[in-house]
Amino acid sequence: MLAEPPFAFVPFDARRSTAKPRRTGLSMVIDDGLPLAYMRGVFELAAPYIDLLKIKTGTARLYSRDQLMRKLEMCAEFDVRPFLGGQFHEYVFAMLGEAALPKFYAEARALGIRTIEISDNTVPLTPEQRRGQISAAIASGLAVFGEVGSKETLSNPALLVEQAEVCLKAGAELVLVEAAELVENGRVRRDSLEVLKRGLPPDRIMIELPGPWIAGVRSCDIEEMKKILFAEFGPDVNLANIAATTIFDTEAQRVGLGTGGPLHA
């Protein structure tokens, strides 16, 4: 029989989905080269609060095959779903062309990866290319997360909605919204959030948190954006780019135990 958790009499926000697998309230942690021993420690403590692990950009190319497969096996052990970041797919497309993508998909499957992200952060895609690449990856046996938005320019938020709809109609399971589109000089673009909230189903989008890779973004700006997202979308907003060091604190904020204080419906 499992021991009762500490302070069990203290309630959580009832709107929060607390059991995996979750359909909403997904938390995605960035893996930018987490050492295996460190990653095990994080999972042993926080796996109940981690749904997805994004192997950032093209970092999968830098591991030994054994190290990468051990990392993927650990994800399976702790019921965390790994996926390849979209910029790796962009790199293959830009450097080797469309003809190399089937080999990329086959290698992902051979490693045990079942989900990839398809984005155009730095290599723009036409709607036809976006549809075609998502459809081809799905046909190869992979699940696809789409990503919309650019790391380099601020788009009209209505365009992000259109791009997300292309992804979803092509079969993408989830659409991530690039963080750089949602902040300007470190401050949240609330008008863009409102357009996303009105235009897309909340259970099919995941909002990325910004980080220091975006000019003008400080740690306090990331924390402020979390508070805004939980206030606007509720505790079950799908949230991406959470640092491994802040997953516990982020979950505390989701259930009303964090620095933002109790959430209200």
Side-chain angles (χ1 to χ4, degrees):
M1 184 175 180
L2 294 176
E4 187 176 78
F7 303 103
F9 64 92
V10 178
F12 289 160
D13 189 313
R15 296 172 295 163
R16 172 63 176 141
S17 299
T18 55
K20 294 165 67 173
R22 281 178 275 264
R23 274 193 53 81
T24 58
L26 301 173
S27 288
M28 182 267 273
V29 166
I30 281 280
D31 179 359
D32 52 3
L34 299 175
L36 291 172
Y38 177 83
M39 188 169 141
R40 177 166 290 278
V42 170
F43 281 0
E44 286 178 348
L45 187 68
Y49 314 123
I50 302 172
D51 302 280
L52 304 167
L53 185 82
K54 180 176 183 174
I55 302 172
K56 185 182 178 184
T57 58
T59 56
R61 178 65 177 84
L62 303 179
Y63 294 93
S64 71
R65 195 173 193 88
D66 175 67
Q67 286 174 324
L68 182 56
M69 292 186 77
R70 285 167 62 196
K71 179 164 284 200
L72 297 172
E73 288 164 4
M74 195 184 303
C75 287
E77 178 185 348
F78 286 94
D79 192 24
V80 173
R81 183 179 180 184
F83 68 100
L84 293 176
Q87 280 192 267
F88 197 10
H89 191 272
E90 291 181 42
Y91 182 88
V92 174
F93 175 55
M95 298 299 293
L96 300 173
E98 197 102 42
L101 293 177
K103 188 172 183 178
F104 178 77
Y105 304 150
E107 176 71 348
R109 293 195 312 274
L111 288 162
I113 294 165
R114 296 291 176 261
T115 307
I116 65 168
E117 182 182 49
I118 293 180
S119 62
D120 63 345
N121 286 169
T122 57
V123 180
L125 297 175
T126 65
E128 292 73 23
Q129 287 173 321
R130 195 186 301 273
R131 275 192 292 267
Q133 291 183 5
I134 291 172
S135 297
I138 293 171
S140 80
L142 294 168
V144 173
F145 295 159
E147 186 180 30
V148 297
S150 169
K151 290 188 183 300
E152 299 174 351
T153 60
L154 286 174
S155 304
N156 181 327
L159 176 62
L160 301 180
V161 172
E162 291 176 12
Q163 291 174 340
E165 289 173 341
V166 169
C167 292
L168 293 172
K169 287 177 182 176
E173 182 179 330
L174 195 65
V175 175
L176 285 78
V177 180
E178 166 57 46
E181 297 280 12
L182 303 176
V183 293
E184 191 168 12
N185 299 319
R187 308 303 294 173
V188 175
R189 299 178 72 196
R190 286 180 176 266
D191 57 336
S192 296
L193 284 183
E194 185 58 33
V195 171
L196 295 175
K197 187 176 178 180
R198 289 199 314 267
L200 294 169
D203 62 333
R204 302 294 301 281
I205 63 167
M206 174 170 271
I207 298 176
E208 291 189 346
L209 292 173
W213 55 87
I214 299 173
V217 172
R218 305 162 297 170
S219 295
C220 58
D221 298 320
I222 301 171
E223 295 307 310
E224 181 64 19
M225 184 168 180
K226 286 184 197 176
K227 293 176 184 177
I228 291 170
L229 290 173
F230 294 141
E232 292 293 323
F233 291 83
D236 251 15
V237 61
N238 294 326
L239 203 58
N241 289 359
I242 303 168
T245 53
T246 65
I247 184 63
F248 239 64
D249 180 67
T250 302
E251 186 63 27
Q253 291 192 52
R254 281 193 188 275
V255 299
L257 297 172
T259 56
L263 298 173
H264 301 286

